[in-house]
Amino acid sequence: MDLSLILIQALNAVQYGLLLFLVASGLTLIFGVMGVINLAHGSFYMMGAYLAFSLAPLTGNLLATIIVGLVLSALIGGLLEWALFSHLYRRNHLQQVLLTYGLILIFESLRSSFIGDEVHSVPVPGWLDFSVPLGSVMAYPAYRLFMSVVCLLVALGLYLLIQRTRLGSQIRAGASNRDMVQILGINIDWVYRLVFALGVALAAFAGMINSPVTAVAPGMGTQMLIVSFVVVIVGGIGSVWGALVASQLIAFADTFGKVFVPDYAGMAIYVVMAIVLLWRPEGLFKS
């Protein structure tokens, strides 16, 4: 295989892994801090993609679209936490699964009613609609490189938020002992609401930034949800650092599996998950 082609596939894997990290980090935050199994997380990714499709003609600018979409998705996340998820913290996981599965059906119904079942696309911003040469005959889309850089910056911001801020210390404390945090005078309900809003915003942001390079279509959140759960399990439930490492591992396995063994590529990520769990049943990293 040509070296340029290997480089392109490696860049694709890095970009896909960083996108997976955005979705999986929100999923692992919500479960690790709040103890909620959120099957509707893929729907938030889909919501972000459809927000990008709906807002792009109104704003005419990718940055403005993302800012408006992030505000809307965070508000939706906070509202859902207040109205629904705040009642689940002391209940068993079966009730959480039933509620979040119901949310999947509601989101799909709303999407079908207001936007329809057609496949849509979002245009690449004009200032990023070019390719970077790789060798003499190959080039790589600049927008995909832009996505990778933005995702890295978001990952860095998430690390600084959790590890270097007062809110981050409250989030980590709330994940360890909710009752003790309340005794210390911290409003843990607001901390949980912010965590859930952040998780929803991360998933929606992934959908928005990925919309110019993928089809905006019904059911697009389902596959992302499945792969994100694999990332969370491999990385270690509740570990954001684990989600970053596992997302790259899964992305490289999936991308190069499609190149070298296309007939069995669909199994690649599950083989990786099985190997990791046989070696470390708790995942690569503990929260």
Side-chain angles (χ1 to χ4, degrees), residues 78-277:
L79 179 62
L80 287 173
E81 193 281 337
W82 170 76
L84 299 174
F85 287 87
S86 61
H87 304 289
L88 293 178
Y89 301 139
R90 300 187 184 278
R91 300 192 182 188
N92 61 50
H93 291 319
L94 176 59
Q95 291 174 306
Q96 297 171 4
V97 167
L98 290 174
L99 174 64
T100 53
Y101 179 72
L103 281 177
I104 295 175
L105 301 180
I106 291 172
F107 273 106
E108 287 292 338
S109 179
L110 290 173
R111 186 263 316 144
S112 179
S113 298
F114 287 101
I115 301 181
D117 298 323
E118 298 82 9
V119 176
H120 304 283
S121 62
V122 176
V124 174
W127 58 282
L128 286 170
D129 195 9
F130 65 95
S131 297
V132 177
L134 294 177
S136 58
V137 295
M138 289 194 175
Y140 194 75
Y143 183 77
R144 287 185 177 271
L145 294 175
F146 169 78
M147 284 177 62
S148 298
V149 172
V150 171
C151 290
L152 280 172
L153 291 175
V154 172
L156 176 62
L158 188 61
Y159 168 79
L160 293 175
L161 171 68
I162 294 175
Q163 299 295 331
R164 298 285 188 254
T165 67
R166 182 178 179 84
L167 175 60
S169 65
Q170 293 175 355
I171 290 173
R172 298 196 309 273
S176 299
N177 194 321
R178 174 188 170 99
D179 294 330
M180 182 59 70
V181 170
Q182 286 181 306
I183 291 172
L184 292 174
I186 297 172
N187 190 336
I188 192 64
D189 293 332
W190 275 105
V191 173
Y192 277 20
R193 196 154 300 150
L194 287 172
V195 167
F196 193 83
L198 175 62
V200 172
L202 285 169
F205 176 72
M208 286 186 283
I209 200 170
N210 196 43
S211 58
V213 298
T214 190
V216 179
M220 63 182 298
T222 303
Q223 181 61 29
M224 183 60 74
L225 174 69
I226 294 171
V227 180
S228 297
F229 265 116
V230 172
V231 169
V232 170
I233 293 169
V234 170
I237 296 175
S239 172
V240 175
W241 172 245
L244 178 60
V245 174
S247 64
Q248 290 299 317
L249 181 62
I250 293 301
F252 270 84
D254 183 63
T255 301
F256 282 94
K258 291 175 180 175
V259 174
F260 292 111
V261 283
D263 292 339
Y264 304 97
M267 300 169 52
I269 63 174
Y270 305 107
V271 171
V272 171
M273 181 177 69
I275 292 172
V276 170
L277 292 181

